[in-house]
Every structure is written in structure tokens, then in C-alpha cells.
């Protein structure tokens, strides 16, 4: 038994071993760099041909096209990168993720995304973010440079934060700390129990609609108390203090909701408290797109490569939803929540949306500028504009197409970061073993 226990511990350590000892975070940018003669996809729908993009001290300094400075002022660069025939994109943003909180989903010891209890408003996901996760480095070769790390569990899950994917520790990784509060809307759907009658003396089934509405009222009561707490209080309450940013709109309220009923209930939080609301999931958001647009509610579409919610929906409904939201004027972002790909398919999800009604640049915005707006970081990133952080991806082809998405350089705040990860290391290891070129 002791040997078996020892083997289990050793195996868990091997599975959750997090260090990649020869992959280091890159120091702050020192030399000014210019990427020359590159096609620039700004992220806001514009495309600049044969442009020179210069960045220094982590910021974009100038964008020149056809030899004329059209944005910003030119500066002499100490390093040049030839972008001829290549495409430059803003760094992609994973807008809802457990990255760095969960390493191996099937190994409980490697998961730190969920707290027990119903109200975890004082929880901060950022402090649990593990920068040594092997998963993080696998995202950068696909152009994903920023991620929204969110807590799970309970009605009120806690504070989410945005991180950049090249850091020594969570303090270095923090891009925007505690930018929002996550809550989970109860399903409020009575599911069929089948034809088998209840056993004699069995506890009667709880009405899920009634139970869900009670949970919603409990959350509203908490927010009412938090609002009153801001006006006058004698004793400190960490939960109430954590949500104060919702009232002055320095934080957003992110609500996990997929059905129309859930989303309509979530809109009550806007009407009563005036919160900046973002729906996370939004599988059926296309059905109430006009209502969401009228209330200026954003949507993060969690997983496009999935089946529709209802049996009588079009089988390709998840692919068409982004175009329908775009037409209605809803601000939306595309995400990749698949537990198998762990976020790596983000650009290809956007590519699917481009095949079902969105233009290529609109699809790009859904994983760059739109995502930045929904996360409250669009003043710093999300598009290639002077004054914003130099979060850039240089690619030989279309970043939304898995056949031509070959990232040659990934740049985070002006730092050219390595595209090496555990998978590429194993690839090189066995190429060497079998003498392959």
C-alpha cells in the first residue's frame, strides 16, 4: 500500500510538474525595433499595406505607410525586422479562461480554480495564477498573448484579472488586476425526470425555477447590502469591498448565462444597479440580440465549435451567432473554452465565424479589440495604434486559418518572446533521436 501511495504521488508530481527550466521570461525592451514592409491588420477593421511599425519601451511609437508617417512620429530604430510578405496582428486575447489555475483537469491537486461556498466575492483569481504552467507557452505560438483568468464556484465566484503570458510570477503577469466580478446564473429550467414514479417517502423534488429565482434574489440582496455599505459602515467587510468597483463602473459584472431566461434575469442587474454587464456563454444570445444591443450588454461567446442549445435550432447556429450579433450592433468577443484545446483554437474559432457571415477583419476584432473592450483594457491593447502596448503577432499567413497560421514572432509589451514550449521540445527531442532533419 505504501509503495502504491508513493507511486501515485510520484505520478501526480510528474503530471503536474510545472517547471520548464530552459524557457525564461524576456527582460523589458531596451532597443527600439521596426517591423518593415508588413501588412498591418489594425484590429479595428483597417488594413495597412507595406507599413513600417516602430515600437520602443514596450509601446508603439509610429506607424508609417508608403514612406509617409500617417500615425505618430517616426523614430530611428536600432533593430529591424523584415516583414515582407508577412502579416502583423494585435496579440490575441483569450477572454474567459482557467489558464494557470488548472494544469491537468483530471488531477485534483493541480486545480485551484474553484472555492467552496456560495458567495466568494472576496476571492481573487490572480493570486492563484501559476506562471510556470506548461499550458501557457503552448498558446503563444498561435498568437494568444493575453488571457482573462476567472474564478469558478458558487453563485458569486469572485474577482477576475487579465494577465500577459510571459512572466516570472503573478505580480509580473498582472495586466489588469480585478477587472470584474463573476457570477453564475442558475439554470431555472425544469428538467424531465422520466416515467419512473418517485419512491415512497422520497424527498419531493425542488422546483428549479423557484430555487433559481431565490438564488438570484440572494445575489441581489448581497449587492444591495454592498451599496449600503459604501454609504456608511463601521466594520470592514471584504466581500462588500470587493464589489464596490461595480457601482463606480471601474469593474464589470460578468454573468455566466446561456439561455434566454438566464440572460433576461441578468438584465435586471443592469436595471436595478446600473452595472456594466457582460454575458459569458451567450449560446442563445442571437435570440435577444436587439435587447442586448439596446441595453449595451456585451457577450463573450465561450465555445463556437459546439452543438446548438435546442434540438430544433439550426445545426450550424453556433457558427452563425457572431454574424447575427454583429448585425444587431452587440459588442461581442469569441473565446475558446474547450477543455481539450485549452484555448489554442481561439484564432480558428474566429476563422469559423468568418466563414459564416463575418468579414475577416470583423472576426479578428472579436479576438482582439472587442475582447479588450469587454475586459476594460482597450486603452492599452487590442489594436495596433500609436501609444498602445506593443502586443503584436507576426505571421506568414492568415492568423485565422490553421493551414497558414505560422507565427514567426510574438511580442508582448515590446519583448520578443520565445515560441518554445514543452510540445516543441518533445518534437525536437525525437527528431534528434531518429536523426530527422
Amino acid at each position: 500500500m505504501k509503495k502504491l501511495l508513493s507511486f501515485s504521488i510520484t505520478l501526480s508530481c510528474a503530471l503536474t510538474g510545472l517547471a520548464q527550466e530552459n524557457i525564461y521570461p524576456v527582460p523589458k525592451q531596451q532597443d527600439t525595433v521596426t517591423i518593415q514592409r508588413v501588412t498591418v491588420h489594425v484590429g479595428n477593421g483597417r488594413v495597412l499595406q507595406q507599413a513600417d511599425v516602430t515600437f520602443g519601451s514596450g509601446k508603439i511609437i509610429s506607424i508609417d505607410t508608403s514612406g509617409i508617417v500617417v500615425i505618430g512620429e517616426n523614430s530611428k530604430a536600432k533593430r529591424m525586422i523584415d516583414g515582407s510578405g508577412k502579416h502583423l496582428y494585435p496579440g490575441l486575447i483569450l477572454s474567459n479562461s482557467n489558464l494557470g489555475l488548472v494544469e491537468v483537469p483530471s488531477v485534483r491537486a493541480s486545480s485551484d480554480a474553484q472555492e467552496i461556498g456560495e458567495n466568494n466575492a472576496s476571492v481573487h483569481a490572480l493570486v492563484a495564477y501559476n506562471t510556470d504552467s506548461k499550458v501557457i507557452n503552448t498558446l503563444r505560438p498561435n498568437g494568444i498573448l493575453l488571457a482573462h483568468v476567472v474564478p469558478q464556484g458558487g453563485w458569486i465566484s469572485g474577482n477576475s484579472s487579465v494577465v500577459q503570458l510571459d512572466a516570472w510570477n503573478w505580480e509580473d503577469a498582472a495586466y489588469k488586476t480585478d477587472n470584474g466580478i463573476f457570477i453564475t446564473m442558475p439554470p431555472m429550467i425544469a428538467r424531465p425526470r422520466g416515467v419512473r414514479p418517485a419512491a415512497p417517502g422520497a424527498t419531493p423534488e425542488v422546483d428549479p425555477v423557484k430555487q433559481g429565482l431565490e438564488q438570484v434574489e440572494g445575489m441581489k440582496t448581497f449587492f444591495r447590502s454592498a451599496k449600503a455599505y459604501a454609504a456608511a459602515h463601521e466594520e470592514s467587510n471584504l466581500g462588500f469591498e470587493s464589489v464596490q468597483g461595480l457601482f463606480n463602473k471601474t469593474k464589470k459584472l460578468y454573468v455566466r448565462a446561456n439561455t434566454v431566461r438566464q440572460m433576461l434575469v441578468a438584465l435586471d442587474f443592469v436595471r436595478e444597479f446600473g452595472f456594466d454587464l457582460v454575458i459569458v456563454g451567450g449560446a442563445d444570445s442571437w435570440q435577444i440580440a436587439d435587447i442586448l444591443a439596446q441595453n449595451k450588454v456585451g457577450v463573450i461567446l465561450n465555445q463556437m465549435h459546439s452543438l446548438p442549445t435546442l434540438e430544433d435550432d439550426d445545426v450550424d447556429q453556433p457558427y452563425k451567432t457572431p454574424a447575427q450579433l454583429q448585425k444587431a450592433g452587440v459588442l461581442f468577443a469569441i473565446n475558446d473554452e474547450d477543455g481539450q484545446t485549452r484555448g489554442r483554437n481561439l484564432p480558428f474559432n474566429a476563422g469559423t465565424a468568418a466563414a459564416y457571415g463575418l468579414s475577416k477583419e470583423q472576426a479578428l476584432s472579436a479576438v482582439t479589440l472587442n475582447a479588450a473592450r469587454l475586459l476594460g483594457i482597450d486603452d492599452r491593447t487590442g489594436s495596433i495604434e500609436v501609444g498602445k502596448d506593443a502586443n503584436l503577432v507576426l505571421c506568414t499567413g492568415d492568423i485565422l486559418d490553421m493551414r497558414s497560421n505560422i507565427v514567426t514572432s510574438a511580442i508582448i509589451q515590446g519583448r520578443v518572446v520565445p515560441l518554445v514550449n514543452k510540445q516543441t521540445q518533445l518534437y525536437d527531442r525525437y527528431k534528434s533521436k531518429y536523426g530527422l532533419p
Side-chain angles (χ1 to χ4, degrees):
M1 182 65 182
K2 288 183 178 179
K3 289 184 178 180
L4 179 60
L5 179 60
S6 176
F7 173 76
S8 298
I9 294 173
T10 303
L11 179 60
S12 295
C13 290
L15 288 172
T16 59
L18 303 175
Q20 297 175 94
E21 292 83 356
N22 58 344
I23 305 175
Y24 311 117
V26 179
K28 289 184 179 180
Q29 182 185 7
Q30 301 295 327
D31 296 335
T32 304
V33 179
T34 295
I35 302 176
Q36 297 177 299
R37 298 178 296 277
V38 67
T39 300
V40 178
H41 300 261
V42 178
N44 59 7
R46 296 178 62 198
V47 179
L48 306 177
Q49 302 292 339
Q50 293 292 305
D52 294 347
V53 178
T54 302
F55 52 95
S57 300
K59 299 286 184 180
I60 298 173
I61 298 173
S62 69
I63 304 173
D64 306 348
T65 181
S66 301
I68 303 174
V69 181
V70 293
I71 308 175
E73 295 182 359
N74 199 5
S75 60
K76 187 175 181 181
K78 293 184 178 179
R79 181 183 172 194
M80 300 291 183
I81 298 176
D82 185 11
S84 299
K86 295 183 180 180
H87 299 260
L88 188 67
Y89 297 92
L92 307 189
I93 303 171
L94 194 62
S95 48
N96 179 38
S97 172
N98 61 13
L99 184 69
L101 304 181
V102 176
E103 189 68 8
V104 183
S106 59
V107 178
R108 186 176 179 181
S110 72
S111 177
D112 196 12
Q114 184 169 325
E115 294 291 337
I116 60 173
E118 296 175 345
N119 188 340
N120 299 312
S122 60
V123 165
H124 301 268
L126 180 62
V127 298
Y129 177 70
N130 177 22
T131 54
D132 289 328
S133 168
K134 283 187 170 67
V135 181
I136 294 172
N137 289 345
T138 66
L139 270 60
R140 299 195 307 228
N142 273 7
I144 302 160
L145 306 184
L146 297 171
H148 188 204
V149 179
V150 307
Q152 299 172 349
W155 301 348
I156 304 177
S157 301
N159 293 264
S160 59
S161 292
V162 181
V163 297
Q164 54 87 6
L165 306 188
D166 183 61
W168 285 104
N169 49 51
W170 66 262
E171 293 96 332
D172 294 341
Y175 199 81
K176 184 164 185 177
T177 302
D178 297 342
N179 66 309
I181 297 289
F182 262 75
I183 69 174
T184 301
M185 196 59 61
M188 294 178 287
I189 295 177
R191 301 189 181 279
R193 53 178 289 178
V195 296
R196 181 179 297 177
T203 304
E205 292 188 3
V206 178
D207 182 355
V209 177
K210 180 181 178 181
Q211 184 183 49
L213 291 175
E214 289 175 353
Q215 293 177 2
V216 171
E217 187 58 30
M219 287 189 281
K220 287 184 176 180
T221 299
F222 170 77
F223 287 121
R224 291 176 191 134
S225 300
K227 187 174 182 179
Y229 172 87
H233 62 275
E234 295 180 358
E235 296 183 359
S236 177
N237 185 302
L238 295 179
F240 291 158
E241 290 181 4
S242 293
V243 301
Q244 292 307 308
L246 294 175
F247 298 102
N248 59 26
K249 298 194 175 183
T250 57
K251 290 184 178 182
K252 295 179 184 287
L253 181 68
Y254 297 92
V255 179
R256 297 184 180 97
N258 278 298
T259 66
V260 171
R261 180 177 296 180
Q262 287 177 308
M263 289 183 280
L264 291 177
V265 172
L267 284 171
D268 283 340
F269 287 85
V270 178
R271 299 187 184 101
E272 179 172 348
F273 302 106
F275 293 158
D276 280 344
L277 175 65
V278 178
I279 299 295
V280 179
D284 287 343
S285 57
W286 58 278
Q287 297 187 37
I288 57 170
D290 292 339
I291 297 174
L292 296 175
Q294 290 169 10
N295 289 274
K296 298 181 179 179
V297 173
V299 178
I300 295 175
L301 297 170
N302 256 350
Q303 185 54 43
M304 285 184 49
H305 290 175
S306 62
L307 291 173
T309 305
L310 302 176
E311 290 183 359
D312 55 353
D313 288 342
D314 293 343
V315 70
D316 58 356
Q317 182 56 55
Y319 307 155
K320 299 188 297 186
T321 297
Q324 292 171 325
L325 296 181
Q326 178 79 25
K327 184 177 180 180
V330 177
L331 179 63
F332 70 95
I334 291 173
N335 191 50
D336 177 22
E337 199 190 32
D338 194 311
Q340 303 300 315
T341 61
R342 304 298 298 274
R344 291 190 296 274
N345 274 357
L346 177 65
F348 313 134
N349 284 0
T352 299
Y356 281 81
L358 289 184
S359 70
K360 281 290 184 69
E361 298 307 316
Q362 288 171 340
L364 176 66
S365 294
V367 291
T368 55
L369 187 57
N370 285 8
R373 287 171 176 163
L374 292 176
L375 303 183
I377 56 175
D378 55 300
D379 59 330
R380 296 179 59 190
T381 191
S383 59
I384 302 177
E385 299 179 76
V386 169
K388 289 193 175 183
D389 287 350
N391 298 326
L392 308 168
V393 179
L394 189 61
C395 187
T396 59
D398 184 353
I399 199 169
L400 306 184
D401 179 10
M402 64 175 61
R403 294 172 301 178
S404 60
N405 174 323
I406 301 176
V407 174
T408 57
S409 296
I411 301 161
I412 299 178
Q413 295 176 305
R415 297 171 288 120
V416 182
V417 299
L419 299 178
V420 180
N421 55 63
K422 187 65 175 178
Q423 295 173 357
T424 62
Q425 288 176 330
L426 289 172
Y427 178 73
D428 291 338
R429 174 186 176 90
Y430 286 99
K431 275 206 311 182
S432 175
K433 176 180 180 181
Y434 295 108
L436 299 175

